[in-house]
Amino acid sequence: MSFQNPVFIPGPTNIPEKLRKACDMPTIDHRSPLFGQMLHPARKGVQRVLKSRDAEVFFFPSSGTGGWETALTNTLSGGDKVLAARNGMFSHRWIDMCKRHGLDVQIVETPWGEGVPVDRYEEILAADKAHEIKAVLATHNETATGVKSDIAGVRRSLDAAGHPALLLVDGVSSIASMDFQFDDWRVDVAVTGSQKGFMLSAGLAIVGFSAKAMEATKSAKLPRSFFDIHDMANGYAASAFPYTPPVGLINGLNEACDMLLDEGLDNVFARHHRIAEGVRYAVKAWGLELCATSPDVYSDTVSAILTPDGFNATDIVTHAADTYGVAFGVGLGEVAGKVFRIGHLGSLTDVMTLSGIATAEMCMADLGLDVRLGSGVAAAQEYFRSNPAADLCKAA
Ligand SMILES: *Cc1c(COP(=O)(O)O)cnc(C)c1O
């Protein structure tokens, strides 16, 4: 593997030089006021990235998975019923975590390649007259299949059924890359991590809690200690953590929020969309299909690309690493061997993306697939030329 090539995996993502420097700090006393000068602006920055006025933002030294656990254990009690769709490896893992915590999960099995079935959610919620369902889970962007779900639609399904369940959203591979509207969608808990849209290394679980979710924490009985948000909130009140914080990462996160907000969230989302479209034009030129079944669910952060029957898609990933020192993502779970993934989120430009498309083409040609060298690159070039970046000086 090369340290010079960008990675094209859907997290961890490429770290801009500025953020690497921000994380590389001398030791400070994390109980001194200096820490508060990073912590509080970072919380405020994340709140703005979530498009929220007053979500309570918490950071845990963990990864996105710890964020899932924070969401569940702080708002629910053993035996509580939750509703969740399984449409890929990440939604599957969150469901598995629910079961391990003794929650009663009503699973809506959904084809891998489709989004959260909003109509089905609405039927189930409307039928739950006794309001036994305490939380509705939704994976905003299923990283395994490159599928985006309609969180505004999930909120509408709750509202249409007049259902009071909490809305818990996994935004690990969408937040800071794709539009996420915490307040307008009335999300109760949003979960993400430092190593995807925030362009940092792994190490922070980042969560936002609504006032309603904060209220639910008071009666939630699931055991929690490390991930207890009341301990964390008490720490923050003294500009500290209940334990030793990863200071460099929090400083980096503060800087990452500044970068994203300086570029402008709309520009960040437009950049991700443009780059994703370039990749999609390339896929089309190769004569291949996405795992995502329709344009309304196409993800702007990752594309899972189906390879022809009888071909092991994982070979592309292995070959790219061995031969060209470039990382793509393998297929996970049900789609293992059937898809390879191009991650296109975080610190990425058109030019970097073209290099990833060119590498994928070389790999497919080397492995005997009927792909003409330059075909995908040309398709993406044509698209990028006719849809130039908004403001290159600001792009991350
Ligand atoms: C990456 C990812 C996770 C898991 O996050 P970790 O940081 O690896 O624990 C969860 N959900 C989605 C959608 C992801 O993309």
Side-chain angles (χ1 to χ4, degrees), residues 132-183:
E132 281 175 4
I133 296 169
K134 298 301 174 204
V136 171
L137 273 51
T139 301
H140 186 203
N141 189 74
E142 190 29 276
T143 319
T145 55
V147 163
K148 166 182 75 174
S149 282
D150 177 11
I151 303 302
V154 174
R155 165 47 67 199
R156 277 195 302 277
S157 74
L158 278 153
D159 289 350
H163 203 292
L166 295 167
L167 174 55
L168 313 183
V169 180
D170 173 345
V172 181
S173 62
S174 60
I175 289 169
S177 307
M178 283 158 52
D179 193 21
F180 190 94
Q181 303 181 26
F182 188 93
D183 284 2

Side-chain angles (χ1 to χ4, degrees), residues 46-101:
V46 169
Q47 203 181 52
R48 290 180 62 196
V49 170
L50 292 175
K51 293 195 174 168
S52 178
R53 276 211 316 266
D54 33 41
E56 292 279 353
V57 173
F58 301 101
F59 310 134
F60 291 89
S62 180
S63 72
T65 305
W68 282 343
E69 188 159 330
T70 303
L72 301 178
T73 58
N74 283 280
T75 61
L76 297 166
S77 302
D80 276 356
K81 193 163 177 180
V82 304
L83 175 64
R86 175 155 52 200
N87 65 335
M89 200 61 191
F90 291 92
S91 43
H92 167 71
R93 285 189 187 144
W94 203 10
I95 287 169
D96 179 57
M97 179 184 277
C98 289
K99 290 182 179 167
R100 294 194 204 189
H101 280 91

Side-chain angles (χ1 to χ4, degrees), residues 24-374:
D24 182 3
M25 289 180 61
T27 303
I28 63 155
D29 176 5
H30 59 280
R31 300 193 189 282
S32 73
L34 206 51
F35 178 59
Q37 290 167 23
M38 298 162 206
L39 172 69
H40 298 301
R43 294 181 73 210
K44 198 80 207 155
V46 169
Q47 203 181 52
R48 290 180 62 196
V49 170
L50 292 175
K51 293 195 174 168
S52 178
R53 276 211 316 266
D54 33 41
E56 292 279 353
V57 173
F58 301 101
F59 310 134
F60 291 89
S62 180
S63 72
T65 305
W68 282 343
E69 188 159 330
T70 303
L72 301 178
T73 58
N74 283 280
T75 61
L76 297 166
S77 302
D80 276 356
K81 193 163 177 180
V82 304
L83 175 64
R86 175 155 52 200
N87 65 335
M89 200 61 191
F90 291 92
S91 43
H92 167 71
R93 285 189 187 144
W94 203 10
I95 287 169
D96 179 57
M97 179 184 277
C98 289
K99 290 182 179 167
R100 294 194 204 189
H101 280 91
L103 297 169
D104 172 13
V105 196
Q106 177 163 0
I107 303 170
V108 182
E109 295 295 350
T110 305
W112 288 34
E114 292 181 12
V116 170
V118 169
D119 292 348
R120 188 75 195 101
Y121 267 28
E122 186 173 333
E123 281 167 24
I124 293 168
L125 291 165
D128 180 32
K129 301 276 183 240
H131 297 162
E132 281 175 4
I133 296 169
K134 298 301 174 204
V136 171
L137 273 51
T139 301
H140 186 203
N141 189 74
E142 190 29 276
T143 319
T145 55
V147 163
K148 166 182 75 174
S149 282
D150 177 11
I151 303 302
V154 174
R155 165 47 67 199
R156 277 195 302 277
S157 74
L158 278 153
D159 289 350
H163 203 292
L166 295 167
L167 174 55
L168 313 183
V169 180
D170 173 345
V172 181
S173 62
S174 60
I175 289 169
S177 307
M178 283 158 52
D179 193 21
F180 190 94
Q181 303 181 26
F182 188 93
D183 284 2
D184 285 358
W185 299 341
R186 301 201 334 274
V187 172
D188 290 303
V189 182
V191 176
T192 188
S194 47
Q195 81 276 24
K196 302 206 178 165
F198 286 107
M199 307 169 283
L200 298 162
S201 51
L204 282 181
I206 300 166
V207 295
F209 273 59
S210 71
K212 186 172 156 185
M214 291 303 290
E215 193 55 36
T217 64
K218 294 179 186 163
S219 53
K221 299 266 180 329
L222 278 180
R224 53 188 182 269
S225 54
F226 186 82
F227 291 115
D228 191 302
I229 60 161
H230 289 287
D231 292 348
M232 195 50 84
N234 289 338
Y236 292 172
S239 294
F241 256 48
Y243 31 71
T244 315
V247 173
L249 266 177
I250 290 171
N251 194 48
L253 181 61
N254 189 18
E255 191 71 38
C257 291
D258 283 350
M259 272 179 80
L260 290 161
L261 296 165
D262 282 351
E263 184 179 348
L265 289 180
D266 289 345
N267 294 332
V268 171
F269 304 147
R271 173 166 56 82
H272 280 81
H273 180 71
R274 202 184 62 257
I275 286 174
E277 282 284 289
V279 170
R280 291 190 280 260
Y281 274 105
V283 172
K284 203 165 152 200
W286 296 333
L288 297 177
E289 304 268 339
L290 294 172
C291 179
T293 50
S294 56
D296 57 313
V297 299
Y298 287 171
S299 163
D300 282 342
T301 59
V302 54
S303 295
I305 301 155
L306 289 160
T307 54
D309 280 344
F311 181 87
N312 181 4
T314 303
D315 289 348
I316 294 174
V317 179
T318 312
H319 185 75
D322 291 350
T323 311
Y324 301 110
V326 168
F328 295 112
V330 295
L332 301 171
E334 268 182 33
V335 292
K338 295 183 182 153
V339 304
F340 74 103
R341 294 177 299 154
I342 300 183
H344 36 77
L345 75 163
S347 179
L348 217 55
T349 63
D350 298 359
V351 169
M352 290 159 86
T353 307
L354 288 170
S355 75
I357 295 170
T359 309
E361 270 173 7
M362 290 194 284
C363 293
M364 289 189 282
D366 293 348
L367 296 168
L369 286 182
D370 183 19
V371 164
R372 193 164 43 83
L373 289 181

